[in-house]
Amino acid sequence: MAIRKLPALVVNQIAAGEVVERPASVVKELVENAIDAGATRIAVTIEHGGRDLIRVTDNGRGIALGDLPLAVAAHATSKIESSADLEAVTTLGFRGEALASIASISRMSLVSRAAGTDEAGRLDIEGGRGGEPRPASGPPGTTVTVRDLFFNTPARRKFIRADATETARVTQAVEALALAHAQVGVSLACDGRVALELPPDAGTHRRVLDVLGAELEPELLAFSLSERGLVISGMAGRPGIARTTARHQTVLVNGRPVSDRSITHAIREAYRGLIEPGRYPTIVLFLEIDPQQVDVNVHPTKAEVRFRTPSMVHGAVLSAIRRRLREADLTPSFELQRATASPGGGPASGGGPAFGSGSWSWSGPGRSITEFLAVGEERRGESSMEIEVLPVIKHVGEVLQVHSSYLVTQDEQGLIIVDQHALHERVMFETLLEAVSKGNLESQRLLMPAIVEVDAARLDLLEPLAPLFVRIGIEAEPAGPAAIAIHAFSSFLFDRGVEPSEFLLELLDRTAREGVNDDPEAALHETLDMMSCKAAIKAGDRLSDREIAELLAQRERVERSSNCPHGRPTTLRLTIRDLEKQFGRR
Ligand code: ADP
Ligand code: MG
């Protein structure tokens, strides 16, 4: 085939391939245009997940009748003039290809009345072919209607998912932009039903609660930090409302929702050890940065950005969130539901004492108490919590060890229940972390090397693990084709009676299973986790009064003591308020 220039329609359809993945992409581009036009009210309507209809109405600056054909022409924009403007983009749009792309794969109508004029104009385009703009009537602002998305690209229409899925995506896209632009009133109607109604001039704090749900307010910690030209702020969810998907993480850079790996990493890092692996914190993060310091022209849908100094951004985000989490008392509260409030609650209803027949539930929406208690059940059957709750009333001011596993005491807000193993594990972990930050861990030479028999695969792991071993005070080398000799072992573990060969085998087994972690810091943390678990007091260990006092005193001293290194809580609080409710005093 001879080389030829492609017709404009084909060019636009190719661009649409990148810009318009699904109905939510159209909604995102249209809402961005409305925000760029200075709108204070934006109304979004979709039908059938956006497949049949998407309409975005705004009260912004509008487009002059004569400019309507330009608005839908490729590479036509009012937002930048020269490549120099690309160095510091201050609008959401700048590529001038969204309307052209969308118009090429749908039936679009554009009705707009420019500010300061009396008459509106209208332009209809079908699959990129449009007529002339003609006068119309309408209020100031712009309405873009997109019908039958992908009608002329049937292969792509097939990729549209179920209405509910597409509706959820649209909602998410609108919410993200609404979070970033609290000054704008935003509504969303899906198939005639109001899905969002966000008032204008909300202020960021209010807007976050309007979007995430006001009931989450007690679960959110506001943070802010301003450093070297960066302003970072937002609301970080307590660990209890972490979710199983990253859907509740919104990152907004200069008002633009983005997904950025280094920011996501910093968030995960800030929560490390506070939430369990596989869960994602709920968080809304605003980053304001000099537009010169961020390149927004790296992705067709502008979903990614590139920072000139990514490590500085990473560091600042990490410290903003981490600092806030450290300041907060992260002890989760839980409440009993009154027995009467849960009809048919459980097999015990009718029988035992009213207190015991009530079901437990989390006050936080994240997970159920049953799920939560299941963690404890890994270690022992723990069937009725009231046994642990009641005796403390006789033991005001003292600490009670219950079932050789839990410490029960009080603080000014109520009743405190501590998982002794989980707490001690955290104490051990923080001790190790501090020690290792100062240098390699102390090592104890063994009188006789301990010999561990291993297979070839595990023997081969000695080499990649060598740098880690140095840091934790282990000295080991191959002893023949199927054995390892341990010459020196971590004093910390040695003093706590941990068997060198057992520990090494477990470490090798884990590495064989999961592979060598190529992030040395993460590998070190995982190993310290394992060491703390081995060294810590176990569930079932009887503790002396002195040991109990020491453990609780350490809780005050170490960081992140509300959660064990795996992210499970170490401590629960039953508040006096909830007790009063339970006893019908309120
Ligand atoms: P971009 O946003 O990158 O400039 P678009 O294709 O999205 O490109 O829009 C092209 C142009 O049409 C914009 O630069 C703007 O001038 C105009 N426009 C689009 N939508 C609106 C709107 N809702 N209100 C006012 N002008 C608009
Ligand atoms: Mg645009």
Side-chain angles (χ1 to χ4, degrees):
M1 238 198 281
I3 302 177
R4 75 197 72 194
K5 273 192 91 115
L6 292 171
L9 176 61
V10 181
V11 171
N12 290 341
Q13 287 188 343
I14 290 172
E18 291 183 319
V19 178
V20 186
E21 195 194 339
R22 56 194 332 142
S25 332
V26 173
V27 171
K28 169 187 172 296
E29 294 294 340
L30 299 182
V31 172
E32 285 186 355
N33 280 346
I35 293 171
D36 281 344
T40 57
R41 296 251 175 197
I42 301 173
V44 183
T45 304
I46 62 165
E47 276 168 25
H48 290 120
R51 155 205 319 256
D52 294 354
L53 174 104
I54 295 167
R55 174 175 292 137
V56 176
T57 298
D58 68 60
N59 63 352
R61 273 187 291 282
I63 307 168
L65 186 142
D67 281 349
L68 286 176
L70 260 185
V72 296
H75 312 299
T77 180
S78 56
K79 300 173 191 175
I80 58 170
E81 278 180 25
S82 67
S83 60
D85 294 339
L86 275 180
E87 301 284 313
V89 173
T90 54
T91 46
L92 293 169
F94 57 89
R95 301 171 59 98
E97 60 181 0
L99 289 186
S101 305
I102 299 165
S104 73
I105 48 165
S106 69
R107 300 188 168 98
M108 181 196 264
S109 95
L110 208 56
V111 177
S112 190
R113 185 172 133 199
T117 59
D118 311 329
E119 208 179 31
R122 177 182 178 118
L123 183 66
D124 291 289
I125 316 152
E126 197 171 308
R129 283 174 243 275
E132 288 292 304
R134 50 200 161 89
S137 63
T142 304
T143 295
V144 182
T145 308
V146 175
R147 290 181 198 275
D148 306 326
L149 187 63
F150 300 136
F151 80 98
N152 54 352
T153 50
R156 303 203 55 203
R157 193 166 169 86
K158 286 203 196 89
F159 281 96
I160 300 187
R161 310 280 295 274
D163 287 2
T165 310
E166 298 299 345
T167 301
R169 298 285 196 127
V170 167
T171 309
Q172 213 180 331
V174 174
E175 281 177 350
L177 282 164
L179 281 170
H181 301 273
Q183 78 284 4
V184 184
V186 179
S187 70
L188 169 65
C190 307
D191 298 313
R193 193 180 46 84
V194 176
L196 283 176
E197 185 69 78
L198 304 166
D201 293 321
T204 302
H205 187 89
R206 186 73 251 153
R207 179 57 59 91
V208 171
L209 294 178
D210 284 347
V211 170
L212 296 189
E215 74 283 357
L216 281 191
E217 184 160 23
E219 304 294 328
L220 296 170
L221 305 163
F223 60 91
S224 67
L225 177 132
S226 136
E227 192 178 277
R228 289 185 280 175
L230 285 180
V231 180
I232 296 165
S233 61
M235 308 270 266
R238 291 174 180 275
I241 58 166
R243 310 293 180 96
T244 50
T245 71
R247 254 206 63 181
H248 298 268
Q249 272 183 18
T250 309
V251 174
L252 305 153
V253 175
N254 291 350
R256 184 189 299 281
V258 298
S259 76
D260 180 80
R261 283 183 55 182
S262 83
I263 294 183
T264 312
H265 183 269
I267 294 174
R268 198 171 52 231
E269 196 66 13
Y271 278 87
R272 173 148 52 183
L274 290 175
I275 55 177
E276 292 162 50
R279 284 185 178 265
Y280 300 83
T282 296
I283 187 166
V284 180
L285 184 132
F286 301 90
L287 178 77
E288 298 298 324
I289 183 171
D290 176 354
Q292 306 252 11
Q293 293 295 315
V294 57
D295 188 355
V296 293
N297 186 26
V298 294
H299 194 270
T301 69
K302 302 161 286 174
E304 285 171 23
V305 294
R306 195 174 294 142
F307 296 107
R308 305 240 188 273
T309 50
S311 60
M312 184 178 107
V313 171
H314 181 274
V317 169
L318 174 60
S319 66
I321 306 170
R322 183 183 270 170
R323 199 176 65 188
R324 186 63 186 90
L325 290 172
R326 282 183 181 176
E327 278 165 16
D329 175 2
L330 296 178
T331 305
S333 297
F334 59 96
E335 60 177 28
L336 286 162
Q337 261 163 24
R338 295 203 55 177
T340 48
S342 56
S349 55
F355 201 72
S357 59
S359 61
W360 290 79
S361 75
W362 267 116
S363 54
R367 50 210 286 229
S368 71
I369 187 79
T370 343
E371 205 184 325
F372 185 75
L373 289 179
V375 172
E377 268 160 14
E378 280 166 22
R379 293 176 213 127
R380 54 195 305 110
E382 186 198 357
S383 55
S384 51
M385 188 62 116
E386 75 273 20
I387 298 171
E388 289 156 87
V389 176
L390 290 175
V392 83
I393 296 163
K394 297 193 208 116
H395 290 264
V396 172
E398 293 176 22
V399 185
L400 189 72
Q401 191 190 21
V402 177
H403 288 225
S404 302
S405 301
Y406 298 96
L407 307 179
V408 179
T409 182
Q410 63 170 334
D411 72 353
E412 60 299 338
Q413 291 178 59
L415 192 68
I416 300 290
I417 305 167
V418 175
D419 178 332
Q420 65 187 34
H421 171 70
L423 174 57
H424 198 227
E425 208 178 342
R426 167 57 80 187
V427 170
M428 299 281 95
F429 181 79
E430 293 297 329
T431 311
L432 283 170
L433 197 60
E434 203 195 317
V436 86
S437 72
K438 294 186 179 137
N440 295 337
L441 295 184
E442 205 179 296
S443 187
Q444 164 92 41
R445 201 139 268 291
L446 304 183
L447 283 178
M448 291 273 292
I451 304 294
V452 192
E453 286 183 22
V454 289
D455 58 13
R458 282 169 182 64
L459 193 63
D460 285 345
L461 290 174
L462 266 193
E463 207 181 296
L465 286 177
L468 175 72
F469 282 0
V470 172
R471 294 195 72 179
I472 63 173
I474 293 183
E475 212 182 293
E477 59 176 20
I484 292 173
I486 309 173
H487 296 289
F489 192 54
S490 145
S491 314
F492 174 90
L493 292 178
F494 196 80
D495 294 347
R496 283 167 183 79
V498 178
E499 191 60 49
S501 42
E502 239 173 68
F503 180 83
L504 190 77
L505 259 186
E506 203 175 315
L507 189 60
L508 291 173
D509 282 348
R510 212 192 54 189
T511 315
R513 223 174 28 244
E514 293 169 13
V516 179
N517 195 328
D518 48 13
D519 175 351
E521 280 308 298
L524 177 67
H525 274 241
E526 278 167 17
T527 311
L528 297 185
D529 254 22
M530 201 176 130
M531 293 171 73
S532 351
C533 184
K534 293 260 165 281
I537 298 165
K538 304 282 179 300
D541 288 351
R542 285 204 74 84
L543 302 182
S544 70
D545 287 355
R546 233 196 64 205
E547 287 168 321
I548 291 176
E550 210 161 279
L551 181 57
L552 291 183
Q554 280 169 326
R555 180 174 199 278
E556 305 312 311
R557 277 201 295 274
V558 306
E559 302 215 2
R560 294 173 284 196
S561 62
S562 58
N563 296 72
C564 81
H566 314 288
R568 295 192 294 255
T570 63
T571 313
L572 295 178
R573 179 187 286 120
L574 182 59
T575 65
I576 292 298
R577 274 171 67 105
D578 288 325
L579 275 179
E580 284 174 344
K581 245 196 334 215
Q582 190 62 29
F583 282 108
R585 285 170 161 272
R586 287 162 75 92

